[in-house]
Amino acid sequence: MGGKNGREGNMPGIVPTRHLIRKMQFSAKSTGSVAPAMHRYEQLAAEWAEGIERGTLRPGERLPSVRQTCQARAVSPSTVFQAYAVLEERGWVEARPRSGYYVRARPSRPGPPPITPPPDTGPHPVAISELLVELLGSTRDAEVVPLGSAFPAPELFPFEALARCGARAMRRLKPAHITGALTAGDEGLREALRHRYAVQGVALHPEELIITHGAMEALNLCLQAVTQPGDVVVVESPAFYGALQALERLHLRALEVATHPQDGVDLTALETLLQRERVAACWFMTRFQNPLGALMPTERKQALVTLLARHGIPLIEDDVYGELYASAERPPPAKAFDGAGLVLHCSSFSKCLAPGYRVGWAAAGRFGATVARLKMMSSLSTSLPAQRAIADYLQQGGYDRHLRHLRHALAESQRRALAVIDESFPPGTHPTRPQGGYFLWLELPPQVNALALHQRALRHGISVAPGVLFSADARFTHHLRLNVGHPGDARLEPALRWLGAEVA
Amino acid sequence: MGGKNGREGNMPGIVPTRHLIRKMQFSAKSTGSVAPAMHRYEQLAAEWAEGIERGTLRPGERLPSVRQTCQARAVSPSTVFQAYAVLEERGWVEARPRSGYYVRARPSRPGPPPITPPPDTGPHPVAISELLVELLGSTRDAEVVPLGSAFPAPELFPFEALARCGARAMRRLKPAHITGALTAGDEGLREALRHRYAVQGVALHPEELIITHGAMEALNLCLQAVTQPGDVVVVESPAFYGALQALERLHLRALEVATHPQDGVDLTALETLLQRERVAACWFMTRFQNPLGALMPTERKQALVTLLARHGIPLIEDDVYGELYASAERPPPAKAFDGAGLVLHCSSFSKCLAPGYRVGWAAAGRFGATVARLKMMSSLSTSLPAQRAIADYLQQGGYDRHLRHLRHALAESQRRALAVIDESFPPGTHPTRPQGGYFLWLELPPQVNALALHQRALRHGISVAPGVLFSADARFTHHLRLNVGHPGDARLEPALRWLGAEVA
């Protein structure tokens, strides 16, 4: 898509472009108190969009040319180009080389990806949301349909095999090894992990790998290793709520950067931020970002690592969904391009093998010793039975077979969920169609209050994750994150239909 | 001992008393840069102490009277009383009612408890010690005699039984329970813990008990629940280094309070601090304090809880050694007197049942919901295999039998170690004789550099914990913490003899 590259090239940047879309939506629902006055290019785009919606501009029809529009509306060519770009990104028009912009066929489903409203212009402290506690609490209730959950269905995991492996591995361990367990983690597990990295073409330094109490501890320790309270950390927009909470706990300030539902972090916007702000670190998910599901294309990952290395800024790569790719080939993590040791790659087994075991890790690059020291000081070591169970399981060689089954089940589950959503939700609903993971991010029609929907749904025995959880300023008001990683749950389809009917 | 009660009564307070002793020691080794100028009463006490050491004042001899001294030295009676008190506390003289102060028989072993130098007068940020990393690292080397270790011998624990329990308990668990595991922890484990509290006469509120990743996570979460960065937290002097590190990580300031090797925190000194400083919380170990081994007498625990409740100050009670009492009766924790819900009682199984499993808990009083929320946000839940193994083990009913064996083994081990120390170390060595736990705290002659001794010992294959680890300002220069909880280790006795010879 030409517009995608254009956004990264000489255009005024993705931020104002997306900003416009949000304002259009805001003006549509008359929330004037939130929306600032519209720019000329925003008015123009909104006008054309309305023409397309009403059918006065029909599919295949050419938009008025730059010259025509400049004359008729007394605007500059750049205003017209900005208006074209907005509509192109929104999927309403397409550029034809040397010809102009044409109205696209009415977006038949699958529609365009959802719009992510622009982040704020400045960093700010994060406020903990009671809502999150309510949501996470509700998803533990087996009676509630777990569309708001953070985990795939437990039936997808080999718990029996893990329990057997754990018992065997613990019996084999000499007592001295138990109290002598290193802060860095069980050596068998570290060895197995290093091997998995090597297979992905990532050679780790022996000292940089530290086993942690889930990925959350890894991410927290890495954040502590590279920041001081008050520092600015760049996160995606929308961001994983856990990242926002971690920043809050460490008294850091979140700066959100525009993030594309398919391609991930906008590098142009990021570069602008890096020039404007003193940034201590970035925390990004390059593979199947939560909540968007975005997979950064390989060359963009490489460009990201290069950009950050040029600025000397560490990248905390939260990669807990990295194994859950739907494609035949495994896409590499940003860590694969880490020549400078600035990528702190964090992941866990919680989403792909052993939820509840709380075994994660950090491959912390040049910060390995610092992270190990922080780990020793704060939690000493990671729970040994869980580590040993997983190490033994990995040594048995069944992990890759399990992952193939899991990926297949999740991809199939996503396909079915999207089909139901496409059928049941009203026009103006835009779901992501990620290439991995098990989340969908839905942009609903702008008048929908997703928070109220979440509350109605919960009373109806359905949990969903409302979009307001995914930014520090409750920006995603008509967005939902849906967990579709429950292929065997017959309640999922009716729940999706119920939601669609509520939205309509 | 009359002097003990006197210290808590109308005396000028324990702080100046102990302060003097430190100055005496400092002046003896000419570290004038550290020692402030001596007070008159300090000079007087130092002079008498020297007389006792040289034999010019002999055992049974009466010290010059108040009247004599006032006349001869042109000092006030209170100066003389202060000098008496210092020497009495040090064990050099004893008061005989209506008669005066008499030189005691040369302290035959067991001698008086070691002196704890006084804390600083103000709170200050804590600096992480690389030394601690070195020490903790060294204790993981099986070739090194583990006198510096934080854990008892691994052979003392029922690892085989725990592994069997873990495998059985995991097999019994339905998958839905695995991902649904509550942040508060496995319900079977919480139930077993509540029962153990009830047996000790402590009725917990159902919501206040949260299972954590070891006691360290419990303590960290509790600290976060009751403080903001920059706050002042009172800790013991000497303090557990983990407490100092935790304060540092959370950007809190440590204020150390004088702590008696036998009786724990000095309540008079504490009350003075509370009146002078705005204190956010106290972090104390009331049972077998690390490193002193102090057990606060029950009535003092009660007085502590009452004092803090009057000031509305939360007490974080770090009680990881609480089960390791040598007496026939279990002494109660401070939590037993917690009417106001201000005691956050933290403990774990790491020192008494299952090292390496990283299962601890907080009974957080009125802060239960806050701690649970922080736990959910920071680590979600505690590793399930370890929780299930311990819950199953507790349900089998063998825990109390194991604890009886463990207590017996540790008490016997302490007895033997003290006998060797009494034989091998030079005069001027004062070990604690704790009523539980497995640490000894040794005050060595003041000219000994315990840090250098630690380094020489490590080269000799022996780890010890030098005293400088146990304060924020490296105050305990000629002190050691020794772990004597390794009854089966034949290397221990020769290692102690080697240390004694090095010190002499």
Side-chain angles (χ1 to χ4, degrees), chain B residues 110-142:
Chain B
I115 296 303
T116 58
D120 273 6
T121 48
H124 46 78
V126 184
I128 274 196
S129 170
E130 289 300 325
L131 175 60
L132 188 52
V133 175
E134 177 188 298
L135 174 72
L136 294 180
S138 75
T139 62
R140 266 93 182 252
D141 181 347

Side-chain angles (χ1 to χ4, degrees), chain B residues 105-443:
Chain B
R106 271 307 282 257
S108 61
R109 298 166 182 282
I115 296 303
T116 58
D120 273 6
T121 48
H124 46 78
V126 184
I128 274 196
S129 170
E130 289 300 325
L131 175 60
L132 188 52
V133 175
E134 177 188 298
L135 174 72
L136 294 180
S138 75
T139 62
R140 266 93 182 252
D141 181 347
E143 298 298 307
V144 172
V145 185
L147 287 166
S149 163
F151 290 91
E155 293 76 17
L156 296 170
F157 301 105
F159 289 114
E160 290 253 347
L162 281 167
R164 277 196 307 274
C165 291
R168 174 173 53 211
M170 287 303 289
R171 277 198 308 270
R172 278 186 193 158
L173 207 57
K174 292 207 167 59
H177 289 123
I178 293 175
T179 51
L182 286 169
T183 288
D186 179 75
E187 194 41 47
L189 181 56
R190 292 174 79 215
E191 185 51 45
L193 276 172
R194 274 191 222 101
H195 177 71
R196 292 192 70 81
Y197 273 98
V199 166
Q200 294 186 56
V202 184
L204 296 189
H205 186 280
E207 300 302 309
E208 70 172 299
L209 184 64
I210 295 115
I211 309 293
T212 57
H213 182 64
M216 278 308 296
E217 188 186 40
L219 292 159
N220 270 288
L221 296 175
C222 288
L223 259 187
Q224 284 179 68
V226 300
T227 61
Q228 291 295 319
D231 278 355
V232 171
V233 175
V234 182
V235 298
E236 287 131 337
S237 175
F240 167 45
Y241 48 73
L244 300 172
Q245 304 297 342
L247 298 192
E248 183 190 356
R249 271 196 313 281
L250 295 173
H251 304 276
L252 300 166
R253 290 177 300 153
L255 185 56
E256 299 178 28
V257 64
T259 303
H260 190 272
Q262 281 172 333
D263 300 338
V265 168
D266 183 297
L267 296 181
T268 309
L270 177 61
E271 189 154 18
T272 307
L273 282 187
L274 298 184
Q275 281 155 5
R276 200 184 68 205
E277 299 276 347
R278 200 161 150 258
V279 167
C282 295
W283 172 335
F284 297 150
M285 306 179 89
T286 62
R287 300 196 286 189
F288 319 116
Q289 193 257 0
N290 179 359
L292 291 175
L295 169 64
M296 275 191 109
T298 300
E299 68 279 7
R300 282 175 69 133
K301 275 188 210 125
Q302 192 159 12
L304 170 67
V305 174
T306 304
L307 172 65
L308 293 180
R310 204 165 66 232
H311 286 79
I313 294 174
L315 169 61
I316 298 173
E317 186 178 23
D318 178 356
D319 197 27
V320 295
Y321 308 103
E323 292 281 12
L324 304 180
Y325 51 91
S327 52
E329 291 289 307
R330 187 203 322 253
K335 179 73 180 172
F337 307 107
D338 182 30
L342 280 169
V343 179
L344 301 93
H345 185 251
C346 299
S347 189
S348 82
F349 293 103
S350 301
K351 308 294 169 58
C352 51
L353 177 65
Y357 276 54
R358 310 302 300 138
V359 176
W361 68 89
R366 63 166 81 161
F367 306 99
T370 308
V371 170
R373 196 183 67 171
L374 287 167
K375 167 80 181 169
M376 180 182 270
M377 299 297 183
S378 62
S379 81
L380 206 60
S381 61
T382 300
S383 185
L384 202 54
Q387 287 191 78
R388 293 288 297 170
I390 292 175
D392 190 272
Y393 180 85
L394 295 184
Q395 283 150 11
Q396 304 301 311
Y399 186 38
D400 284 307
R401 195 170 55 243
H402 156 70
L403 284 176
R404 279 193 298 275
H405 288 303
L406 179 61
R407 287 181 198 120
H408 179 77
L410 293 179
E412 180 58 21
S413 187
Q414 187 205 86
R415 195 190 57 73
R416 286 205 305 272
L418 277 169
V420 176
I421 290 167
D422 289 347
E423 272 174 43
S424 331
F425 280 66
T429 300
H430 304 284
T432 50
R433 295 168 193 279
Q435 300 168 59
Y438 48 89
F439 292 128
L440 299 180
W441 176 250
L442 264 67
E443 182 196 352

